Amino acid sequence: MTSQPEGSPPKRISTLSPRSSLAIRMLTALAIGALLYFAHAAFIPLALAVLFSLLLTPPVEALHRRGLPRSVSAVVVLVVLACLIGGSANLLWTPAQSWWASAPQTLKMIEKKSRPVARLMNRIEILSSRAGEIGRAQPPSTASLGGPVTQSDVGESPPDADMAVEILDETRAALVGIVTVTFLVLFLLAGGPPMLARLSAALAIDLQSTQTLRVINAVRVEVSRYYASIALINLGLGLSTAVTMMLLGMPNPFLWGTVAAVLNFLPYVGSATTLVLLTVVAFVTFNSIGHVAAVAASYLALATVEGQVVQPLIVGRRLELNPLMVFLALWLGGWFWGVAGIVMAVPTLLSLKIVAQHSRLGRPLTEFLSPEKTTLAPIAAVVAQITSQTRCPDDRSRLRPRNGA
């Protein structure tokens, strides 16, 4: 029995079993998820500010290298961005307003053209309800219960007043959120990499802080480069959609081109929404089914070329994501944080993949987030290694060259 030298600290014996450590990790993940869900009002502006700061850091750093302070560079970039958004909204305001003014007539036209389908569905519903009522007792009528309850008996407020109050509340919340995100983005851009260096140095040792800075810089560079490429691709898709809709005789073609470009930032969901909108507008505008099919098929062809040819060539295969994981991330993001969660879903997956690529133990996560075709090569390598290790000794001896042969 070996004795421990005097003055040395006693050795700590780990008493945690693998099951208990796994349970602790699961409880920690559940606690973090509950915190993000119930405290979304505080975390959504912070998450959006971090995303926008990642996207806007390259132009701020470019201006800083030319001699401008980071705070002035951040203000200049935000002002230019606000001017671009305001100019785009001003150009699209007139067609959007005219389309909104004609919305009642559009709904009436949709109802008129879909009346045969509605009649068929109504007949099917009547038949199913009659079949369900067979052998079922009739419920007591409202007359036996004292007559129907009117709005005056309950004393409810008119629906218009409730809708106006709800619109005012939503507008106030949106304005507060925009101002909060703007100030947070300005603070993060003004701090820049030196602020991240001070934070990482204060929270970790030298080697860990250096690795953390490398990973943060890689995430910033890759995410900003990815979204810059996606912005150029979406701009081309929007222009192509606008020209195609103009040639097909669609009303307000530049409006639909802008909608296609903006919604295409959301993978799969955005292009599907644009396809539905264009199909509905074509269904209302044209009387020919062939014309409606031409509108839908033309946009579907443009979206297919953009997603399967242009985007892989420009963005590359290294940052491609598994479509199933993208769908799950969009669904979970929408369930957690609504529209903000949908916006944050893809950047979060990209950041996780970049962090895993720069980690020694991150290969399984990288392969898990990658498309299936990128995971076939590692699986084939593992299978080949297993088969080579399980080969019989006799086979190995046959493969060895004999002495004097």
Side-chain angles (χ1 to χ4, degrees):
M1 183 174 181
T2 60
S3 61
Q4 202 172 20
E6 296 181 358
S8 62
K11 295 182 179 180
R12 295 181 180 178
I13 301 175
S14 178
T15 58
L16 292 177
S17 62
R19 291 184 179 180
S20 61
S21 62
L22 180 60
I24 291 174
R25 292 177 183 177
M26 292 181 63
L27 289 176
T28 304
L30 289 176
I32 293 174
L35 180 63
L36 293 176
Y37 180 76
F38 290 106
H40 62 276
F43 284 104
I44 286 177
L46 181 60
L48 292 177
V50 171
L51 173 61
F52 293 146
S53 64
L54 287 176
L55 299 180
L56 298 177
T57 296
V60 171
E61 292 299 317
L63 292 176
H64 178 67
R65 286 193 295 267
R66 294 183 178 272
L68 284 178
R70 281 194 175 87
S71 57
V72 178
S73 303
V75 172
V76 170
V77 170
L78 289 179
V79 168
V80 171
L81 181 62
C83 291
L84 289 176
I85 294 175
S88 302
N90 189 22
L91 289 176
L92 297 174
W93 178 255
T94 301
Q97 192 175 11
S98 63
W99 181 79
W100 181 260
S102 61
Q105 289 80 9
T106 303
L107 293 177
K108 290 181 181 179
M109 187 67 67
I110 293 175
E111 182 182 1
K112 180 180 179 181
K113 290 190 174 184
S114 61
R115 194 170 295 169
V117 179
R119 289 177 181 174
L120 178 61
M121 297 301 296
N122 192 17
R123 290 178 180 177
I124 294 174
E125 185 178 358
I126 291 173
L127 290 176
S128 61
S129 62
R130 287 180 179 177
E133 289 177 357
I134 296 177
R136 185 182 302 171
Q138 294 292 332
S141 61
T142 56
S144 61
L145 297 176
V149 180
T150 60
Q151 184 178 354
S152 60
D153 297 331
V154 180
E156 294 181 353
S157 60
D160 295 337
D162 295 337
M163 185 179 297
V165 172
E166 185 176 356
I167 291 174
L168 288 176
D169 291 339
E170 293 293 334
T171 304
R172 180 183 59 82
L175 291 176
V176 171
I178 291 173
V179 172
T180 304
V181 171
T182 303
F183 276 102
L184 287 174
V185 171
L186 182 61
F187 174 76
L188 293 174
L189 292 177
M195 182 180 65
L196 295 177
R198 289 193 297 268
L199 288 175
S200 59
L203 297 177
I205 61 177
D206 294 336
L207 294 177
Q208 292 179 353
S209 63
T210 304
Q211 179 65 18
T212 303
L213 283 177
R214 289 177 182 173
V215 172
I216 292 175
N217 186 55
V219 170
R220 178 179 62 83
V221 172
E222 295 291 346
V223 171
S224 59
R225 186 181 300 170
Y226 172 82
Y227 272 96
S229 304
I230 292 297
L232 292 177
I233 293 172
N234 292 348
L235 180 62
L237 177 64
L239 292 175
S240 303
T241 303
V243 172
T244 305
M245 295 302 110
M246 183 186 298
L247 294 177
L248 291 174
M250 284 281 287
N252 302 323
F254 290 102
L255 175 64
W256 304 121
T258 305
V259 170
V262 172
L263 291 182
N264 202 52
F265 280 98
L266 302 176
Y268 309 111
V269 177
S271 57
T273 305
T274 306
L275 179 62
V276 172
L277 289 175
L278 291 176
T279 305
V280 170
V281 173
F283 180 74
V284 173
T285 304
F286 307 116
N287 295 322
S288 174
I289 299 297
H291 209 159
V292 176
V295 171
S298 60
Y299 176 75
L300 187 60
L302 290 175
T304 302
V305 171
E306 178 271 332
Q308 301 298 324
V309 179
V310 178
Q311 186 172 341
L313 287 177
I314 296 179
V315 177
R317 301 286 183 181
R318 192 163 59 91
L319 290 180
E320 283 190 341
L321 296 171
N322 193 337
L324 178 60
M325 297 304 300
V326 173
F327 274 113
L328 290 177
L330 292 173
W331 178 72
L332 287 175
W335 181 66
F336 260 77
W337 286 355
V339 178
I342 295 175
V343 173
M344 291 295 302
V346 177
T348 303
L349 288 181
L350 283 174
S351 301
L352 284 176
K353 187 173 182 180
I354 294 168
V355 171
Q357 288 174 351
H358 289 78
S359 177
R360 292 181 301 173
L361 303 177
R363 186 176 178 182
L365 181 59
T366 304
E367 295 177 356
F368 182 71
L369 295 177
S370 301
E372 293 182 359
K373 51 190 174 185
T374 61
T375 61
L376 294 178
I379 293 175
V382 171
V383 171
Q385 185 178 4
I386 293 174
T387 54
S388 64
Q389 291 178 355
T390 56
R391 185 181 294 170
C392 297
D394 297 338
D395 296 338
R396 292 182 181 178
S397 61
R398 291 171 189 165
L399 293 176
R400 293 175 184 172
R402 297 180 180 177
N403 295 329

